[in-house]
Amino acid sequence: MIDEELVQLLTPEGERVVHPEYESTLSGEEIFGLYRDMTIVRRLCNESTSLQRQGQLALWAPIQGQEACQIGPGRALAPMDFTFPTYREHGIAWCRGVEPKEMLRLFRAVSNGGWDPYKYRHSVPTIVLGNQALNAVGYAMGIQRDGAEEAVLTFFGDGASSQGDVLESFVWAASFNAPVVFLCQNNQWGISTPMSVQSKIPLYHRAHGFGFPGIRVDGNDVLAMYEVSKRALENARVGGGPTLIEAYTYRLGAHTTSDDPTRYRIDAEVEVWRHRDPIERVKSLLVHEYKMKQARFDEVAEEAEKLALQLREDVLAMDRPDPLSMFDNVYADFHPLIEEGRQEMIDLGVTGGAH
Amino acid sequence: MIDEELVQLLTPEGERVVHPEYESTLSGEEIFGLYRDMTIVRRLCNESTSLQRQGQLALWAPIQGQEACQIGPGRALAPMDFTFPTYREHGIAWCRGVEPKEMLRLFRAVSNGGWDPYKYRHSVPTIVLGNQALNAVGYAMGIQRDGAEEAVLTFFGDGASSQGDVLESFVWAASFNAPVVFLCQNNQWGISTPMSVQSKIPLYHRAHGFGFPGIRVDGNDVLAMYEVSKRALENARVGGGPTLIEAYTYRLGAHTTSDDPTRYRIDAEVEVWRHRDPIERVKSLLVHEYKMKQARFDEVAEEAEKLALQLREDVLAMDRPDPLSMFDNVYADFHPLIEEGRQEMIDLGVTGGAH
Amino acid sequence: MATKTMTMAKALNEGLRRAMEENKKVLLIGEDIGKLGGVFRITDGLQKDFGEDRVIDAPLAESAIVGTSVGLAIRGYRPVVEMQFDGFVYPAFDQIVSQVAKLRKRSDGRYTMGMVIRLPFQGGIGAIEHHSESPEGYFAATAGLRVVSCSTPNDAYWMIQESIKHDDPVIFCEPKSRYWEKGEVDLDNPPANIFDAVVRREGTDVTVIAYGATVKTALRAADTAAVEGTSVEVIDLRGLSPFDSATLETSVKKTGRVVFVQEAPLTASIGSDIIRQLTEKCFYSLQAPGLVVGGYHVPYPPTRIEEDYRPTVDRILDGVDRVIGFGS
Amino acid sequence: MATKTMTMAKALNEGLRRAMEENKKVLLIGEDIGKLGGVFRITDGLQKDFGEDRVIDAPLAESAIVGTSVGLAIRGYRPVVEMQFDGFVYPAFDQIVSQVAKLRKRSDGRYTMGMVIRLPFQGGIGAIEHHSESPEGYFAATAGLRVVSCSTPNDAYWMIQESIKHDDPVIFCEPKSRYWEKGEVDLDNPPANIFDAVVRREGTDVTVIAYGATVKTALRAADTAAVEGTSVEVIDLRGLSPFDSATLETSVKKTGRVVFVQEAPLTASIGSDIIRQLTEKCFYSLQAPGLVVGGYHVPYPPTRIEEDYRPTVDRILDGVDRVIGFGS
Ligand SMILES: Cc1ncc(C[n+]2csc(CCOP(=O)(O)OP(=O)(O)O)c2C)c(N)n1
Ligand SMILES: Cc1ncc(C[n+]2csc(CCOP(=O)(O)OP(=O)(O)O)c2C)c(N)n1
Ligand SMILES: [Mg+2]
Ligand SMILES: [Mg+2]
């Protein structure tokens, strides 16, 4: 896996790597912050998986193994930047301040979105693969027209990289020199489809063919993810145009809780990647270079535990929406079919709220 | 225009160029054949333009300036290869043996196609930009499954290169190592949209990002177009996978007879390209290197003239189709709405044939 | 100013200009809409006056045109998209159905998809394939969208402005065969309820409902019918989805007979649905089942025979005769 | 062999297997259909038995899946496409509408688009957005396509084979909420006229027409109605476009009342159109206007409330009551 092209600042063993172009600018405390983020996000993800197993969620899309891909760029964002996620960007949502219970509204099937995208500057999830890449470029074109120093960060997977929408978004980003950073989490799998079906060569090369920089980063190295994202975002903000970052990583868990990965991949592969865990290597660095005590890690574990319990409580309290709410926010303005539907439902005596 | 990347075997002045990788393999008579093809195609194109001006065609899409882009690859094809054109591939159609009057059925608005695609191994025109690139890859996948040594050649323009379908076709061609050659005629304009809106860098680079070779050829040099296409097709036939050929050329005429290019481009630009005429340079070569006499060229002109007159005659004789024919070939099998429609039309007393 | 005679193309151009003057957030985006002014010249001169940032010549990709417009709308802009022809809207279908139509809902009302997709639609111009389609039914069937169509220069002028002001996404269907027809445009006084149906000609025997290019054909049919002693009421639908049921019901209750005219084939079409609804609402008034006169269930034919596909005066009159003669 | 009890999922799997055995030109193509057997396991085991060349795991791009299938069909293959979910067919809409539906016509009958697009459709499985849609109306409205749907394992088994054999492109709508329900499959004797409507339960008071998942709901509603003394005839439409008008007319002429049940919203829908046609054909028999009970005009809601969106037994009964009580 570790090839020459890959930007890596921290080995799986937690040792620093000297890279000709990038170096980590973060203090020990800042790195600890990233450790904390990743640990919490993983704990929340585990809680969500078990909530799903217990029938409390319709579905869950785990991010185990991909925490660094999201926490790195998530913390590299400036407050006014805007992000366009898919269904798996829980780490980004966390960095943007979305409340965990808001993230789970979609998965509890009580909402098709879940949070206020303007409040967090984090768009609602896009499930139709690739659509968001074009929406992100459009938003970035809006930034240009406003003359603002902001950037857009958008996400897609190795699978979605084959979608026309993603590829068209490269054309547009290049053509308009739009302030957008494309973050492709190449976790090797699109459900059961291995990366090799989507491309025989590394995905970051695509960008070059469209005329903008592409770069492959060790997606399990949060320091590298942070630095590379930061520079790409800064570059975008000041008119330097788009960048494609390929975060080379691995989906340790199932595609979603509906998936059975034993059907299409072998344990040995998963094991190899377990040894490249993004959290462990940072912990190792913190212990060895910054001499952080176990107590600090325990504190984080405790905090994560509390948040997980809180999330569980919040999810259980999340009621079935009032069926009449399906008529809300479809149109901004009066629409006769909405009024008719609402009236019909009332006449049918459909009762709102929990059941 | 003439940059280092460009494969050129013949200068606009008709002088041979030595290229490290390609050399012309054609005899004087074969080159004369290409001259003849180009001359005839141009003459037929001019006739079609005037037929349109006289109200005999609904529309015409001229190929002036792009003859070499089509005659080169058209003559490089093997009989069993299959081609997927757009609306402007009259030169390819000619090489495949499609009768000129068949090419014009679309433009006289008496058919949505015009010829038997299996007879000529040349698909019907695709007007929705980019669709054909995917169809071509699918056909190529069929060749693979048949274990046949055949290749597919498909066409699109610089404008269409931005379409998701074209870009997805690159993904698929690479993934399946499909025996397909993509021929992008970069004629600098997509109607009024200059090439720079579609890409800031040469289009052939795109292929590299998808993991297969891309090559830029002087699209006004029929010798280069022939050799490069031939090698790419051969390579495809023997399992070497796809190639993208960017034929760097120029649309000398209007986009179609409905278009007014004076609104968006200056005469000077057109003039520059007139001096790079694909036919003139071959003629110059034939005169200087092969000492061909004017009589031979006159013969071709005469032949072209005859064909043009024949075309005119054929077009004028091309009757309005029987309105009832709109119900034919929609479905393979019985469909009640087709029968109802047909009956309704008969009851309305709609008469068939010319009026 | 008062009123001015102009083509529908010019009226749309003036309407776009005024919308851009009144709101800096209005942007135009489409293929060849800059220097060329669009293949129908609807945006003629606008890039010159408003700049390349507000009149955007798009790379050639419809999904991207709509997809980036979604992002621009999220950023607070009001994109007005030009689709070059009806038959080229399909590459953008996914963005329209999955994002444009649903983002307000998905964001619980935070996102406003204040966006117009202009669609030169219907046939009648002798074009080649894909340039004469009537895809409006696909959009009418999609919750979250509004679909409208204009049939006169005055309506075109005001409707495009109203559509741009609207906070919902509007599929704006322009009858391309009528672009060059002239009419009076009142530049000062917007008509009331521009998306409601309007009675274009009063009549007592049969109601004929039409929209876009077929309104004029319906009016011509009414002229002919009048000569033969049949009084046809012609209604221009304007808002296709939602549509103004009240005006239609009033008319159908009066005439007891209704013919719907569209260029689209009938299956799962707007006309079919409106006839179903009118049947429900006017059941006891109807002397005959409502009919739809539309395109046949075939791909749009080569245009040398398109006039046998589109609803002609003859075919409309045949429909009128059928509802009058029904049962006898 | 005779008959065997199996789920609809298994019946489809067996039907595909048999089609592949009988014709070497039959290929399957779709996302995750190989080792995984598709997210619904409909293609389970087929790649193992027929190889990667005949059961093709596609790169993730629906337009390409359909676009390459077109090319394969031109080459003489019979591609059977799996769309992973209804809501992901839209990226392929352009290829379906512009190529699949029109190439036979454009080539004057030389090209045979013998191709099946399998679409797990309708809701009821508690999924997240885009996994519960009913896009069949878009395809029914498109000339050149056929649209069918199955509601029992036996029909599923035979219909998929018939669709694959058919020389026209078939949009094959599979009611995903019924995949796991079992039924008898007669492996030897194909039912006659498998695309024609079939009376699933005889009745005299009201005709209820349904397809896909709603057939079972309609049957349950008929059970309940029977208890209340109303005799409901339930018809499974099967062929959605074209549809078998004769069977419907016979029933409606007998009952005088008709309710159409679908999950799709009503505007420009299949139900609307069939009601319009039945109204025309059975005008004097109808005691009440035909009704459509369907989805509301909103994006498919979060699935915790999907059962209030989909036609329930209650809503169907309400429709039945309305056509019975009409006018009184
Ligand atoms: C247009 C579209 N097609 C199919 C799907 C179904 N689907 C959901 S996730 C997925 C795989 C995505 O793989 P990738 O892009 O690598 O993202 P990952 O799940 O690995 O994060 C598929 C096929 C979809 N959501 N959208
Ligand atoms: C999907 C689609 N969008 C728009 C059009 C309208 N259109 C026809 S040709 C053309 C320009 C094409 O430019 P290019 O691909 O460079 O080909 P050229 O005409 O130069 O040969 C456009 C926009 C179309 N045919 N299909
Ligand atoms: Mg992946
Ligand atoms: Mg071009």
Side-chain angles (χ1 to χ4, degrees), chain D residues 208-223:
Chain D
V208 172
I209 307 166
Y211 60 89
T214 59
V215 174
K216 187 172 166 193
T217 322
L219 286 168
R220 292 219 312 268
D223 285 344

mmCIF file of all heavy atoms in Angstrom, chain D residues 208-223:
data_model
loop_
_atom_site.group_PDB
_atom_site.id
_atom_site.type_symbol
_atom_site.label_atom_id
_atom_site.label_comp_id
_atom_site.label_asym_id
_atom_site.label_seq_id
_atom_site.Cartn_x
_atom_site.Cartn_y
_atom_site.Cartn_z
ATOM 1 N N VAL D 208 -61.186 -2.997 -8.089
ATOM 2 C CA VAL D 208 -59.954 -2.365 -7.601
ATOM 3 C C VAL D 208 -58.799 -2.900 -8.443
ATOM 4 O O VAL D 208 -58.589 -4.113 -8.521
ATOM 5 C CB VAL D 208 -59.726 -2.640 -6.103
ATOM 6 C CG1 VAL D 208 -58.337 -2.146 -5.690
ATOM 7 C CG2 VAL D 208 -60.795 -1.952 -5.264
ATOM 8 N N ILE D 209 -58.092 -1.968 -9.067
ATOM 9 C CA ILE D 209 -56.957 -2.343 -9.920
ATOM 10 C C ILE D 209 -55.664 -1.989 -9.198
ATOM 11 O O ILE D 209 -55.547 -0.883 -8.664
ATOM 12 C CB ILE D 209 -57.005 -1.575 -11.262
ATOM 13 C CG1 ILE D 209 -58.377 -1.763 -11.937
ATOM 14 C CG2 ILE D 209 -55.875 -2.018 -12.183
ATOM 15 C CD1 ILE D 209 -58.624 -0.776 -13.073
ATOM 16 N N ALA D 210 -54.741 -2.892 -9.173
ATOM 17 C CA ALA D 210 -53.477 -2.645 -8.480
ATOM 18 C C ALA D 210 -52.353 -3.320 -9.234
ATOM 19 O O ALA D 210 -52.590 -4.087 -10.175
ATOM 20 C CB ALA D 210 -53.557 -3.175 -7.055
ATOM 21 N N TYR D 211 -51.125 -3.033 -8.841
ATOM 22 C CA TYR D 211 -49.968 -3.727 -9.420
ATOM 23 C C TYR D 211 -48.830 -3.717 -8.417
ATOM 24 O O TYR D 211 -48.765 -2.884 -7.523
ATOM 25 C CB TYR D 211 -49.545 -3.108 -10.755
ATOM 26 C CG TYR D 211 -49.141 -1.656 -10.721
ATOM 27 C CD1 TYR D 211 -47.828 -1.271 -10.476
ATOM 28 C CD2 TYR D 211 -50.081 -0.643 -10.950
ATOM 29 C CE1 TYR D 211 -47.452 0.070 -10.466
ATOM 30 C CE2 TYR D 211 -49.714 0.691 -10.929
ATOM 31 C CZ TYR D 211 -48.403 1.040 -10.687
ATOM 32 O OH TYR D 211 -48.035 2.368 -10.672
ATOM 33 N N GLY D 212 -47.936 -4.666 -8.593
ATOM 34 C CA GLY D 212 -46.788 -4.746 -7.684
ATOM 35 C C GLY D 212 -47.251 -4.966 -6.257
ATOM 36 O O GLY D 212 -48.156 -5.764 -5.981
ATOM 37 N N ALA D 213 -46.626 -4.231 -5.342
ATOM 38 C CA ALA D 213 -46.881 -4.448 -3.917
ATOM 39 C C ALA D 213 -48.321 -4.167 -3.522
ATOM 40 O O ALA D 213 -48.824 -4.707 -2.526
ATOM 41 C CB ALA D 213 -45.939 -3.580 -3.088
ATOM 42 N N THR D 214 -49.014 -3.315 -4.257
ATOM 43 C CA THR D 214 -50.347 -2.915 -3.808
ATOM 44 C C THR D 214 -51.410 -3.985 -4.099
ATOM 45 O O THR D 214 -52.530 -3.877 -3.610
ATOM 46 C CB THR D 214 -50.785 -1.567 -4.444
ATOM 47 O OG1 THR D 214 -50.787 -1.698 -5.857
ATOM 48 C CG2 THR D 214 -49.861 -0.439 -4.024
ATOM 49 N N VAL D 215 -51.060 -4.990 -4.873
ATOM 50 C CA VAL D 215 -52.044 -6.046 -5.147
ATOM 51 C C VAL D 215 -52.437 -6.733 -3.845
ATOM 52 O O VAL D 215 -53.628 -6.921 -3.538
ATOM 53 C CB VAL D 215 -51.489 -7.088 -6.147
ATOM 54 C CG1 VAL D 215 -52.455 -8.257 -6.306
ATOM 55 C CG2 VAL D 215 -51.224 -6.429 -7.502
ATOM 56 N N LYS D 216 -51.448 -7.059 -3.063
ATOM 57 C CA LYS D 216 -51.734 -7.745 -1.807
ATOM 58 C C LYS D 216 -52.546 -6.844 -0.863
ATOM 59 O O LYS D 216 -53.477 -7.297 -0.195
ATOM 60 C CB LYS D 216 -50.416 -8.164 -1.150
ATOM 61 C CG LYS D 216 -50.635 -9.028 0.064
ATOM 62 C CD LYS D 216 -49.325 -9.587 0.591
ATOM 63 C CE LYS D 216 -49.529 -10.150 1.991
ATOM 64 N NZ LYS D 216 -48.236 -10.413 2.648
ATOM 65 N N THR D 217 -52.185 -5.591 -0.842
ATOM 66 C CA THR D 217 -52.930 -4.648 0.002
ATOM 67 C C THR D 217 -54.380 -4.570 -0.469
ATOM 68 O O THR D 217 -55.311 -4.540 0.345
ATOM 69 C CB THR D 217 -52.279 -3.244 -0.065
ATOM 70 O OG1 THR D 217 -50.849 -3.388 -0.115
ATOM 71 C CG2 THR D 217 -52.666 -2.400 1.126
ATOM 72 N N ALA D 218 -54.542 -4.555 -1.771
ATOM 73 C CA ALA D 218 -55.900 -4.496 -2.323
ATOM 74 C C ALA D 218 -56.683 -5.753 -1.942
ATOM 75 O O ALA D 218 -57.884 -5.682 -1.615
ATOM 76 C CB ALA D 218 -55.841 -4.334 -3.841
ATOM 77 N N LEU D 219 -56.009 -6.892 -1.977
ATOM 78 C CA LEU D 219 -56.691 -8.146 -1.610
ATOM 79 C C LEU D 219 -57.106 -8.112 -0.131
ATOM 80 O O LEU D 219 -58.200 -8.563 0.234
ATOM 81 C CB LEU D 219 -55.786 -9.342 -1.898
ATOM 82 C CG LEU D 219 -55.638 -9.684 -3.398
ATOM 83 C CD1 LEU D 219 -54.501 -10.673 -3.622
ATOM 84 C CD2 LEU D 219 -56.957 -10.216 -3.969
ATOM 85 N N ARG D 220 -56.241 -7.570 0.680
ATOM 86 C CA ARG D 220 -56.577 -7.458 2.103
ATOM 87 C C ARG D 220 -57.763 -6.516 2.296
ATOM 88 O O ARG D 220 -58.668 -6.764 3.096
ATOM 89 C CB ARG D 220 -55.370 -6.976 2.909
ATOM 90 C CG ARG D 220 -54.228 -8.009 2.982
ATOM 91 C CD ARG D 220 -53.546 -8.050 4.343
ATOM 92 N NE ARG D 220 -53.197 -6.722 4.816
ATOM 93 C CZ ARG D 220 -51.994 -6.147 4.593
ATOM 94 N NH1 ARG D 220 -51.046 -6.792 3.942
ATOM 95 N NH2 ARG D 220 -51.767 -4.931 5.040
ATOM 96 N N ALA D 221 -57.741 -5.433 1.531
ATOM 97 C CA ALA D 221 -58.863 -4.490 1.608
ATOM 98 C C ALA D 221 -60.156 -5.189 1.175
ATOM 99 O O ALA D 221 -61.218 -4.989 1.784
ATOM 100 C CB ALA D 221 -58.581 -3.271 0.730
ATOM 101 N N ALA D 222 -60.048 -6.033 0.156
ATOM 102 C CA ALA D 222 -61.243 -6.747 -0.329
ATOM 103 C C ALA D 222 -61.776 -7.690 0.755
ATOM 104 O O ALA D 222 -62.995 -7.819 0.943
ATOM 105 C CB ALA D 222 -60.906 -7.527 -1.602
ATOM 106 N N ASP D 223 -60.847 -8.335 1.481
ATOM 107 C CA ASP D 223 -61.256 -9.197 2.601
ATOM 108 C C ASP D 223 -62.091 -8.399 3.597
ATOM 109 O O ASP D 223 -63.168 -8.812 4.029
ATOM 110 C CB ASP D 223 -60.023 -9.745 3.348
ATOM 111 C CG ASP D 223 -59.326 -10.842 2.557
ATOM 112 O OD1 ASP D 223 -59.940 -11.371 1.611
ATOM 113 O OD2 ASP D 223 -58.162 -11.141 2.888
#
